Amino acid sequence: MAMIDFTGIKCPVCGVAFKEEDDIVVCPQCGAPYHRDCYEKEGSCVFTDLHQEGKEWKPPAPPKPPELSAEIKDRECPVCGSLNGHSALFCNRCGSSLLGQPQRYNNSPYLRSYPGSQGSQDGNAGQPGQGKNQPPPYGSYSPPPRGSYGAPPFVFDPMGGVNPADVLDNGVSYGDASKLVKQNTAYYMPVFRYMKQTGRNKFNFSAFLFSGAWMLYRKQYKYGAIVTGLMFFIYLLYLAASVFVATPALLSLMEQAGMDVTRGFSPTHEQMIVISQLMTEDPRLYLHVCLPMLCLLLMLAVMLFVGVRGNKMYLRHCVRTVRQVKSADLSSEPNMTLDARGGVNPSVAVCMFVCYFILVNVVPLLL
């Protein structure tokens, strides 16, 4: 039998691993090693089954190294601290976003392997040459670059990089607000954080273009109804001013200037001078002719106001609704109520389109 190094192998009798200085004897039949005292105490080899089968004792196989997982877990959740796969976008434990968040718990084994790093245990954080910006020691593992494990080239974070556990207002977190917003949280969550941190508004083009319809679509029914009614009233004033005030005044000026009203408004230079003189003599004609334009400017002012204040009004609506849901005893699960009261109302968009079509195409015919 070839000479075998028994160091580290356990004695079959006492179970203690052999050391280099131990007095070791082997069974003459199968070659099993023993401490001399253990063998003399036992009196014979314990592997009688090998003797009967005529086989030799073989050292146990070394333990297999742990298999490397398909993906290294080095992305730490900023909320619960658990480690996730390198390409994971959300925590597999609490569901929080993993994008753009700093290390808080320092659970990553790769971070702890750096001397002087915040999560290391060597206590050299303040020693020269051992700072967290120094390269790792020889033999330590550095995490692979992002994307080396097949991460998608385009990632989407529904929170827009905002931590759902952060506080938006007293008793309201960004996660609570996202349950209420639902659609397009990647836009509204960063906007809410910006307004919270800076105290400034951020212009909302959807609120500017659609005004009351946008507010109704976002389930801000009270203010949406007020703005929609105001816009409807101003548009009716515009139609009335155009039909009953501006048009008769303009036709009267054209007749006094000697123009043929059947050919449209195409005055000559002399006729324009006459119209200007007539309007100078009676300044009220300026108001009569410009009244429809003033109505349109008023509508534009309302749209600008909603565009500038829309996000802040929606933020207050979300905070107020979340507080109402959490303080109410109507549901044992507040998140279910937030889901029910949140999101958008698509039927309002269809209804507003129909109303707009009627207002623009049918109402002028009636006047």
Side-chain angles (χ1 to χ4, degrees):
M1 177 183 295
M3 183 65 65
I4 300 177
D5 183 10
F6 298 109
T7 303
I9 300 176
K10 294 182 179 180
C11 174
V13 177
C14 65
V16 179
F18 296 117
K19 301 178 181 178
E20 293 182 359
E21 62 273 13
D22 288 347
D23 185 8
I24 302 174
V25 297
V26 297
C27 174
Q29 296 186 23
C30 66
Y34 296 89
H35 291 109
R36 182 177 297 275
D37 295 339
C38 295
Y39 186 80
E40 294 176 354
K41 180 180 179 181
E42 190 69 21
S44 63
C45 180
V46 297
F47 298 104
T48 56
D49 53 341
L50 295 179
H51 300 172
Q52 296 174 1
E53 298 176 2
K55 296 181 179 180
E56 294 183 353
W57 174 88
K58 294 182 180 180
K64 295 182 179 180
E67 296 182 0
L68 295 177
S69 60
E71 185 175 25
I72 297 174
K73 294 184 177 181
D74 62 348
R75 302 202 71 177
E76 179 184 281
C77 176
V79 178
C80 65
S82 60
L83 293 178
N84 299 266
H86 184 76
S87 62
L89 303 180
F90 305 96
C91 178
N92 57 11
R93 180 180 178 185
C94 66
S96 302
S97 173
L98 302 177
L99 298 180
Q101 299 295 337
Q103 294 281 348
R104 293 187 178 183
Y105 295 87
N106 300 322
N107 287 333
S108 174
Y110 314 113
L111 181 62
R112 291 198 299 266
S113 66
Y114 287 78
S117 64
Q118 186 176 357
S120 64
Q121 303 297 329
D122 55 7
N124 296 327
Q127 297 182 10
Q130 298 294 329
K132 61 181 179 180
N133 294 326
Q134 297 297 324
Y138 293 106
S140 63
Y141 179 81
S142 298
R146 182 175 180 180
S148 60
Y149 288 94
F154 302 100
V155 295
F156 174 74
D157 181 7
M159 293 295 294
V162 178
N163 186 354
D166 288 346
V167 177
L168 174 61
D169 208 315
N170 293 333
V172 180
S173 66
Y174 286 94
D176 296 331
S178 68
K179 294 187 179 84
L180 195 70
V181 174
K182 285 188 178 180
Q183 283 78 8
N184 206 13
T185 54
Y187 166 77
Y188 285 105
M189 294 301 104
V191 168
F192 288 172
R193 180 177 61 183
Y194 171 81
M195 293 190 297
K196 178 70 175 179
Q197 293 176 349
T198 64
R200 302 176 182 176
N201 292 329
K202 204 163 188 179
F203 193 81
N204 190 318
F205 284 97
S206 296
F208 166 72
L209 294 175
F210 304 104
S211 302
W214 171 82
M215 303 181 84
L216 294 174
Y217 178 71
R218 281 288 164 183
K219 295 187 176 182
Q220 303 176 79
Y221 296 121
K222 178 180 177 181
Y223 294 106
I226 294 175
V227 174
T228 302
L230 180 61
M231 294 289 286
F232 181 77
F233 177 73
I234 297 175
Y235 185 76
L236 290 180
L237 286 180
Y238 162 77
L239 293 178
S242 300
V243 174
F244 300 111
V245 179
T247 301
L250 189 58
L251 292 175
S252 176
L253 290 172
M254 293 171 62
E255 290 178 354
Q256 296 180 48
M259 296 176 56
D260 188 0
V261 296
T262 60
R263 295 184 179 180
F265 187 77
S266 56
T268 63
H269 180 67
E270 291 77 9
Q271 291 171 341
M272 284 298 300
I273 293 176
V274 174
I275 292 176
S276 298
Q277 291 176 351
L278 293 173
M279 295 180 69
T280 303
E281 295 173 358
D282 189 1
R284 292 179 300 174
L285 294 175
Y286 280 108
L287 179 61
H288 293 167
V289 174
C290 297
L291 187 58
M293 184 62 65
L294 295 176
C295 293
L296 293 179
L297 290 176
L298 183 58
M299 293 179 65
L300 179 62
V302 175
M303 294 172 63
L304 287 172
F305 175 81
V306 177
V308 172
R309 300 285 298 179
N311 282 327
K312 193 162 189 177
M313 296 173 69
Y314 190 42
L315 170 60
R316 292 176 178 175
H317 165 77
C318 293
V319 171
R320 182 170 58 252
T321 304
V322 171
R323 287 176 177 172
Q324 290 175 355
V325 170
K326 287 189 173 183
S327 61
D329 296 331
L330 302 178
S331 174
S332 59
E333 181 56 53
N335 291 338
M336 296 178 61
T337 309
L338 286 175
D339 290 338
R341 297 189 60 177
V344 295
N345 192 341
S347 59
V348 171
V350 178
C351 180
M352 294 302 298
F353 175 79
V354 173
C355 294
Y356 175 79
F357 180 82
I358 296 174
L359 189 64
V360 174
N361 298 277
V362 179
V363 174
L365 297 177
L366 299 177
L367 298 177

